[in-house]
Amino acid sequence: MTKFVETLYDSYGQAFHIDEVLFENKTDHQHLLIFCNAKFGRVMSLDGIVQTTEKDEFVYHEMLTHVPMIAHGHVAKVLIIGGGDGGMLREVTKYEQITHITQVEIDQQVIEMCKQYLPNHSQGAFDDPRVNIVIEDGCEFVKLADDQYDVIISDSTDSIGPGEALFRHEFYAGCKRCLSPGGILVTQNGVAYMQQDEVTTTAGYLKTLFDDWHFFAAAVPTYVGGIMTFAWATDNPELRRTDLGTLGNRFEAWGIKTRYYNPEVHYGAFALPQYVLEAIEKRDNEYHKKFSP
Ligand code: AG3
């Protein structure tokens, strides 16, 4: 039986039995592989790194969508950066009050192949009349876009290859200029234990741009090595402190169906272990040393 061995880390990783290869090709931007596995269903990898699987994708897509959506409370326009598999779009389109969704994906072939081989991710969301798909580098898009969005979700790969630009200061600054007043930016920020520098670096950038920023977390089985952190940034500090009762009322009133997210999980996701807080603070200190007079 053939095996897929993830190449993200040098000295540690995960392996899958490949039951069947559904698609494999070099796109204009990256190497795309979609295969079947008995435990995780269809698995999609880009440049040797697992991006999403049919069985555990709900954790990631629900947390990056519903945490900002429900905390904000009045979202009409959403921008998704990346997310070519369509899982994020599926979650976002669950909200009837949203009038417009722009999704900016660099790799058209990822969208096309995921529509064909991972249809359970998008479940038809690409055909939603509120959706506008733009094939472009997300970092370039946010530098020049004219529109403003209430929630921006960065559903990127890791900070290597095409995804690298989505972890730079200029990207976060671009997102800030595309947020409506009090809008929220959330981003995929890596697995904290394995990629601690990512927490430190992102914290340093967000600190210079937003009045309120932090991280929240969830454990995604196929993003191995512990909890994944998601960055949270906004100029409205009250949104992160939205009380449990309000979260519960909105969740119920809007009838959002989920398998991972619920208001208690939302609330608890902002409680971070000490080693993650230290990674955040490290940047605070380094930043001060470097930039204070
Ligand atoms: N994007 C995040 C993949 C991160 C994998 N990396 C890792 N294990 N550190 C997923 C795209 C799903 N829409």
Side-chain angles (χ1 to χ4, degrees), residues 20 29 46 65 88-89 98 117 133 159 185 187 207 219 264:
E20 187 191 349
H29 300 274
L46 289 171
T65 299
M88 207 65 78
L89 203 54
I98 292 177
Y117 295 106
I133 303 290
S159 71
L185 165 68
T187 75
K207 185 183 160 66
E264 285 84 4

Side-chain angles (χ1 to χ4, degrees), residues 6 8-9 49-52 60-61 83 85 87-88 155-158 188 190-191 195 222-224 228:
E6 190 174 45
L8 181 54
Y9 310 116
I49 301 171
V50 173
Q51 294 304 311
T52 193
Y60 174 90
H61 293 122
D85 54 71
M88 207 65 78
D155 179 11
S156 69
T157 53
D158 289 276
Q188 179 284 105
V191 170
Q195 298 166 303
T222 57
Y223 302 153
V224 288
M228 168 165 268

